Every structure is written in structure tokens, then in C-alpha cells.
């Protein structure tokens, strides 16, 4: 393999740049050429390709976002449009691809491999951590620490004003961020899609806390909780009466910022591992880190199998909050 392409796609995640640096420098170290594809699958469809060298990835390991930009592309979900992308990739002399992104990106990668035989290795880059085949995704640790910082600040206000706050964190289909932030922030409750906690029960728990003398509380809500987001849950809790509460949505602040050391290291390891996997003739798989070891997982399993929430941590956080 003489030339590989690399791109970032879907939601940006802190550590994507550290991963690009590792991909580019590992490939150059193996005497390969590297083509950067801008704006994910959207750029691939328009042939937005650029040569990358050692200097292209200088001084970026500490930066959030992605220097190659990222995008979501509806067009790429059409088979004929993917065929067009695959043709452009092949015409550019690209013989293997590294795709950095979340589950949608990995689904697209499987299409390029399955439909067009372009060897491709996925790298899990999403703050959501909802990907099977890796203990953590790139960006997750930074997002958790960013949200935790905000929650610590909100707690100051909650304590001073003796108030209850519902704080919504990202996580459309999974409660990984909410659980980690809630456990680390000493939240009184953690509401995640994996556990059905009805509003009545939430209200009952709050009143029980007030009865025990609790004057302020933080309840962390994953955005995908089945009862609704923080605003909706706060509204319904108020309707039950006897509770004054506020709701805060942390939103996109969780996506940006300087990656933590842990994310930079994970990104560096996975970026290098992705290139080495291509060199070893692997394709249609994702690199991940499980129990400290680099492992390969078929792309189809990365979204087909569900990564479970850490139930032990959930129980512990609930027990300590009681
Ligand atoms: P995040 O988890 O941060 O949202 P993501 O990679 O899951 O990241 P998506 O927007 O879901 O983000 O997917 C990125 C892109 O991958 C989509 O815009 C689309 O172009 C492509 N894609 C998603 N699903 C498919 C699919 N089933 N088939 C082909 N391409 C897909």
C-alpha cells in the first residue's frame, strides 16, 4: 500500500486532531503518501483532497475540533452517490482509508468496503462513547471533564441559593456521559435512557431528600432520557408541586475544548493502530482499546452490538447519593 486517505466525519470530538497527527506520521514513517479528505463524506463526494505531510499535523495535538473539518452528508447515504465517492477516492490513487468518527461514520465506512472494496479501518471518534469494541471513544474523557467542570460551578449556585438543578448532558441514545459526570459530580440522581425512572419517582425522591434536610441537589439528565430532556422533566416535576427547580442544558460546550491527556493518548494509539492494521492487510474493522489492549472489531459489530452501561458504577453512584 503506497497511499492512504484519512478523514473525520460526524460530530467533532476533542482528540480528532491528535488522531490525525498519529495517522499521518505513522503512515509517513512507513513511506506512504497521505491524502487528507476534507469535510468527511461530504468532501469525499466533491473530491476535496489534499496532500498531507509532517508539517500538516504540527502543533495540533492540543487542539479541539478537527483541522480537516467535519460534516454530515445525506447524499452519501445514497448508493449511487457513494459509488461516485469511491471512484474519486480510487482516481486519487488512495488504496486504503482511515475513517474517524461515530457510528454513522462507521456505517458509511462499511459501505465503502462492502460495496466498493476500498480497504478501510474505522477509528471511534465521538464524545458519546456509544460504540461497541472500545472501552472509550476519542473525545469522551474530555467531554466528561468539561461537563463536570460546569456541574461543579452549578453546584456552587445550587448550594448558595438552596436550589435543585436538572443539568442536561449530551447522549442521545446512551447515558455514558451522564453516568460518568453524575458519579464524579456526586449527583443526587442520574437519569439515563438505559434506566426507566418515571417523573413521579423523580419527584418522590426529591421530596424524600428535602424531608431529610437536603436543601440543594443536582440531577444529571442524559439528553436521550425517555422522560424527555432537562427542561421537560423540570416542568413536569414542578407540576407535581412542592419543588422549586431550574434546568440547564450544557449543549455544545461539551464538544469543544482542548483534549485531555487521556484522549490525546488514546487518539495517538488508535491512529497509529489504524495505519498498522491497513499495512497488515486488515479491512472492514475498527480499532479500539479494551482492557488496555488494542483490538480490532468488525465494523458491523460496532453498531450492531450494544455496549452496556457500567451497571456497577450506576449502582454505586445511586447508593452514595442516597
Ligand atoms: P456522532 O456520534 O458524533 O454523531 P456520527 O459519525 O455517528 O458521529 P452521523 O451524522 O450519524 O455522525 O454520521 C456521519 C455521516 O456518516 C453521515 O452524515 C452520513 O454521511 C454517513 N452515514 C451515516 N449513516 C450511514 C449509513 N447507514 N450508510 C451510509 N452512510 C452513513
Amino acid at each position: 500500500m503506497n497511499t492512504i486517505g484519512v478523514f473525520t466525519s460526524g460530530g467533532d470530538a476533542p482528540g480528532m486532531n491528535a488522531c490525525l497527527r498519529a495517522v499521518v506520521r505513522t503512515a509517513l514513517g512507513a513511506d506512504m503518501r497521505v491524502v487528507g479528505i476534507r469535510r468527511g463524506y461530504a468532501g469525499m463526494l466533491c473530491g476535496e483532497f489534499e496532500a498531507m505531510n509532517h508539517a500538516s499535523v504540527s502543533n495540533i495535538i492540543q487542539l479541539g475540533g478537527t483541522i480537516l473539518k467535519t460534516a454530515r452528508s445525506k447524499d452519501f447515504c445514497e448508493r449511487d452517490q457513494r459509488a461516485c465517492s469511491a471512484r474519486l477516492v480510487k482516481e486519487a490513487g488512495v488504496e486504503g482509508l482511515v475513517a474517524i468518527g461515530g457510528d454513522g461514520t462507521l456505517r458509511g465506512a462499511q459501505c465503502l468496503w462492502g460495496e466498493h472494496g476500498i480497504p478501510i479501518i474505522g477509528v471511534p471518534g465521538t464524545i458519546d462513547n456509544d460504540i461497541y469494541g472500545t472501552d472509550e471513544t476519542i473525545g469522551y474523557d474530555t467531554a466528561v471533564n468539561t461537563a463536570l467542570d460546569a456541574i461543579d460551578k452549578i453546584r456552587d449556585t445550587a448550594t448558595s441559593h438552596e436550589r435543585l438543578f436538572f443539568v442536561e448532558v449530551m447522549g442521545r441514545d446512551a447515558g455514558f456521559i451522564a453516568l460518568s459526570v453524575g458519579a464524579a459530580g456526586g449527583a443526587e440522581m442520574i437519569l439515563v435512557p438505559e434506566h426507566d425512572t418515571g417523573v413521579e419517582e423523580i419527584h418522590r425522591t426529591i421530596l424524600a431528600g428535602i424531608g431529610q434536610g437536603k436543601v440543594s441537589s443536582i440531577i444529571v439528565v442524559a439528553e436521550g432520557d425517555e422522560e424527555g430532556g432537562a427542561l421537560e422533566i423540570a416542568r413536569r416535576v414542578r407540576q407535581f408541586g412542592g419543588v422549586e427547580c431550574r434546568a440547564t442544558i450544557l449543549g455544545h460546550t461539551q464538544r469543544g475544548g482542548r483534549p485531555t491527556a487521556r484522549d490525546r493518548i488514546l487518539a495517538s494509539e488508535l491512529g497509529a493502530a489504524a495505519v498498522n492494521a491497513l499495512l497488515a492487510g486488515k479491512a472492514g474493522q475498527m480499532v479500539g482499546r479494551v482492557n488496555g489492549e488494542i483490538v480490532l472489531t468488525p465494523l458491523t459489530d460496532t453498531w450492531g452490538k450494544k455496549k452496556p452501561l457500567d451497571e456497577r458504577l450506576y449502582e454505586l453512584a445511586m447508593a452514595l447519593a442516597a
Side-chain angles (χ1 to χ4, degrees):
M1 193 171 282
N2 293 313
T3 304
I4 64 159
V6 62
F7 60 95
T8 49
S9 157
D12 61 309
M16 280 182 161
N17 281 326
C19 189
L20 287 171
R21 173 178 174 270
V23 168
V24 170
R25 294 201 171 163
T26 305
L28 294 176
D31 289 329
M32 288 194 285
R33 282 195 324 124
V34 185
V35 172
I37 301 166
R38 293 175 69 79
R39 298 194 307 113
Y41 294 121
M44 191 183 287
L45 263 169
C46 313
E48 291 184 35
F49 303 153
E50 63 185 40
M52 297 187 84
N53 56 32
H54 203 269
S56 315
V57 289
S58 290
N59 211 8
I60 65 166
I61 195 168
Q62 75 281 16
L63 302 179
T66 157
I67 58 162
L68 282 181
K69 313 291 182 194
T70 184
R72 302 187 199 270
S73 168
K74 278 208 176 94
D75 288 346
F76 188 81
C77 295
E78 307 291 329
R79 206 180 167 103
D80 58 332
Q81 296 287 313
R82 285 198 296 273
C84 179
S85 306
R87 184 174 50 74
L88 291 173
V89 166
K90 288 177 183 172
E91 280 173 7
V94 172
E95 297 156 291
L97 284 170
V98 175
I100 307 165
D103 69 307
T105 299
L106 299 173
R107 285 171 202 258
Q110 173 61 27
C111 293
L112 285 174
W113 167 237
E115 294 166 8
H116 303 285
I118 299 176
I120 187 160
I121 295 289
V123 180
T126 168
I127 64 166
D128 290 341
N129 199 29
D130 56 348
I131 293 181
Y132 180 87
T134 189
D135 288 342
E136 287 190 9
T137 54
I138 296 168
Y140 169 64
D141 185 59
T142 307
V144 165
N145 281 291
T146 302
L148 184 60
D149 188 46
I151 281 183
D152 288 347
K153 287 173 176 150
I154 291 169
R155 197 176 273 287
D156 288 348
T157 299
T159 309
S160 302
H161 286 270
E162 302 188 331
R163 264 189 198 141
L164 167 75
F165 273 84
F166 287 93
V167 183
E168 182 178 312
V169 299
M170 280 189 167
R172 266 176 319 212
D173 307 309
F176 293 100
I177 295 179
L179 174 56
S180 288
V181 168
E188 277 64 26
M189 288 185 89
I190 304 171
L191 306 178
V192 290
E194 291 84 348
H195 285 266
D196 192 358
T197 314
V199 174
E200 217 174 323
E201 186 185 338
I202 298 168
H203 182 255
R204 220 176 21 247
T205 308
I206 295 168
L207 286 187
I210 293 171
Q212 289 166 3
K214 206 166 256 209
V215 288
S216 71
S217 295
I218 300 278
I219 298 180
V220 176
V221 185
E223 67 176 320
D225 188 72
E226 68 287 338
E227 296 296 333
L231 291 172
E232 170 65 6
I233 295 177
R235 187 186 65 76
R236 288 172 58 200
V237 163
R238 270 188 226 109
Q239 279 178 347
F240 276 101
V243 175
E244 210 209 318
C245 55
R246 298 276 189 279
T248 303
I249 299 172
L250 299 186
H252 284 83
T253 55
Q254 294 159 92
R255 285 252 285 265
R258 298 168 68 233
T260 58
R262 188 155 146 176
D263 266 331
R264 296 182 204 190
I265 291 167
L266 177 67
S268 301
E269 285 188 344
L270 296 186
V275 174
N276 289 329
L278 281 175
L279 282 170
K282 310 281 186 200
Q285 301 186 67
M286 182 195 81
V287 288
R289 196 174 62 191
V290 176
N291 295 329
E293 301 287 329
I294 300 295
V295 297
L296 287 166
T297 301
L299 285 171
T300 47
D301 283 354
T302 63
W303 69 84
K305 293 186 177 174
K306 192 163 170 60
K307 179 154 86 181
L309 204 64
D310 184 344
E311 289 300 327
R312 191 194 49 79
L313 180 61
Y314 180 81
E315 296 303 330
L316 175 67
M318 292 299 95
L320 296 180

